[in-house]
Amino acid sequence: MVTAEFLRSLAADVAAGRPVELSFDDFPCFAAKALEGRAHVTPAALAEISAGLTPADACVFERAAKAIDEGDLAWIGFKYVYDASAACENVDNEVTKKYGDVGSGCGDSFVFFCNDAKEIVCGREHSPRDIFQMKDATRGPAMHAEQFDGLTWLAVALFDKVRVWLLGASDASAEVAALAHHVGFDVVAVDYDPAYISEERFPNARRVLLGGGNFDELSRIAANPSDYACVLTRGHMFDPEACVWSIRNNLHYIGMMGCKGKNDTVHDLVLSKGGTEEGWERIKRPIGLKFGAKTPAELAIAIVAELVDERYKQNYSEAARAKHDSNLGR
């Protein structure tokens, strides 16, 4: 993730009119992999935006640095114009909310800041339509990035991804890893068997291979209280060890797959291995939202849906969630 120190240095260079070159490491939304399927933007767009920065843009990087210092839910976003005439001339149609008689406020690409409170910082001319689309960056982005002709929108988060520990390399775990990565979690998969915790099965996860043919070495690994854990060991063989580790690390969310009869057995084993009754009650059993999922792929949808819901509740206040649900008619 981009650092506050780097952003302040960048702001100073931009304010002084010194040339800067933004990198894919700091702004990965422009990397080739992130742009797969986006017809109107290529990695070369980042160089174009770098070359077009002016002292007016320094305020964006300064505000972004402050947001990182404060632990704010915030984003640096980019408006990328590939057809200036179309960007300025397109108008709202009968379906969309009306944002005035003009499209984009200018035919230039630019950088902007937005946070979850919908604060916008932008040093360039922009229209009401632009403001609507800049605020849309808070969706991660963005539901409406490709809505209007001539321009598109990209963004990078200024906060860390939530880390999810997949304890066990079962088939369900492999399916969860793919979906969890796709919706923006930092995924770590753990198992003792290299045949199961392979790169082929977990291509987008950090893989931790335990020694000894069991989960005993799991106790040597540290996790953060803000992390999530999904207990998905193959055949439930090492669910007790995974639960005890999750409880001892006081993880924010712990979920375990399994039926009531198996869970009663795991309960007794968890307590015998040093877990507490209070910790056991914190474990979501069974893991995942309930909608009839049976296969590993279906179970992964149920599990990741629950992870998304938990992340949403963790990141947003009750008042913000109520407003969001009201806007959606829920």
Side-chain angles (χ1 to χ4, degrees), residues 115-305:
N115 64 12
D116 188 59
K118 302 298 189 291
E119 174 191 354
I120 297 290
V121 175
C122 179
R124 305 294 188 92
E125 176 189 354
H126 50 275
S127 69
R129 167 89 67 71
D130 286 331
I131 293 174
F132 158 70
Q133 294 198 276
M134 284 190 273
K135 290 179 179 180
D136 201 42
T138 63
R139 291 179 178 260
M143 294 291 289
H144 307 96
E146 308 288 353
Q147 183 171 350
F148 300 105
D149 295 337
L151 73 166
T152 188
W153 302 81
L154 306 96
V156 293
L158 299 174
F159 51 92
D160 290 329
K161 295 179 179 180
V162 173
R163 178 174 298 149
V164 176
W165 295 83
L166 304 182
L167 303 177
S170 60
D171 288 347
S173 183
E175 296 282 1
V176 169
L179 283 178
H181 169 77
H182 188 61
V183 298
F185 287 95
D186 176 20
V187 182
V188 184
V190 183
D191 203 284
Y192 65 87
D193 192 329
Y196 288 94
I197 192 163
S198 62
E199 184 176 3
E200 290 76 17
R201 285 167 63 84
F202 295 90
N204 296 307
R206 179 162 64 89
R207 292 171 289 120
V208 177
L209 178 63
L210 304 173
N214 54 43
F215 270 62
D216 290 353
E217 287 189 358
L218 182 62
S219 62
R220 302 178 186 176
I221 299 173
N224 295 320
S226 58
D227 294 349
Y228 299 0
C230 301
V231 178
L232 304 168
T233 68
R234 289 175 288 116
H236 310 292
M237 294 287 286
F238 297 98
D239 285 6
E241 290 83 353
C243 287
V244 170
W245 178 84
S246 301
I247 292 168
R248 285 179 174 169
N249 280 274
N250 194 31
L251 300 192
H252 177 82
Y253 167 91
I254 310 168
M256 180 180 70
M257 187 181 295
C259 62
K260 184 180 185 302
K262 189 273 295 183
N263 287 347
D264 289 343
T265 301
V266 174
H267 164 266
D268 295 341
L269 290 169
V270 165
L271 296 188
S272 72
K273 293 176 183 292
T276 64
E277 193 69 48
E278 180 183 9
W280 173 256
E281 290 303 321
R282 292 188 55 238
I283 299 173
K284 174 62 165 43
R285 321 180 300 272
I287 192 173
L289 300 183
K290 295 180 180 179
F291 52 76
K294 296 291 184 183
T295 69
E298 291 170 349
L299 289 167
I301 294 171
I303 291 167
V304 175

Side-chain angles (χ1 to χ4, degrees), residues 2-11 65 68-69:
V2 66
T3 66
E5 181 181 8
F6 167 76
L7 290 172
R8 288 196 178 88
S9 174
L10 185 58
I68 292 176
D69 290 339

Side-chain angles (χ1 to χ4, degrees), residues 2-4 6-12 14-15 22 27 49 53-68 74-79 109-115 119-126 134 154 156 158:
V2 66
T3 66
F6 167 76
L7 290 172
R8 288 196 178 88
S9 174
L10 185 58
V14 170
L22 307 182
F27 302 102
I49 290 174
L53 291 172
T54 74
D57 298 310
C59 59
V60 173
F61 301 113
E62 290 168 354
R63 181 65 184 88
K66 181 181 178 184
I68 292 176
W75 292 258
I76 285 184
F78 301 87
K79 170 188 171 185
S109 301
F110 60 61
V111 62
F112 65 92
F113 167 90
C114 184
N115 64 12
E119 174 191 354
I120 297 290
V121 175
C122 179
R124 305 294 188 92
E125 176 189 354
H126 50 275
M134 284 190 273
L154 306 96
V156 293
L158 299 174

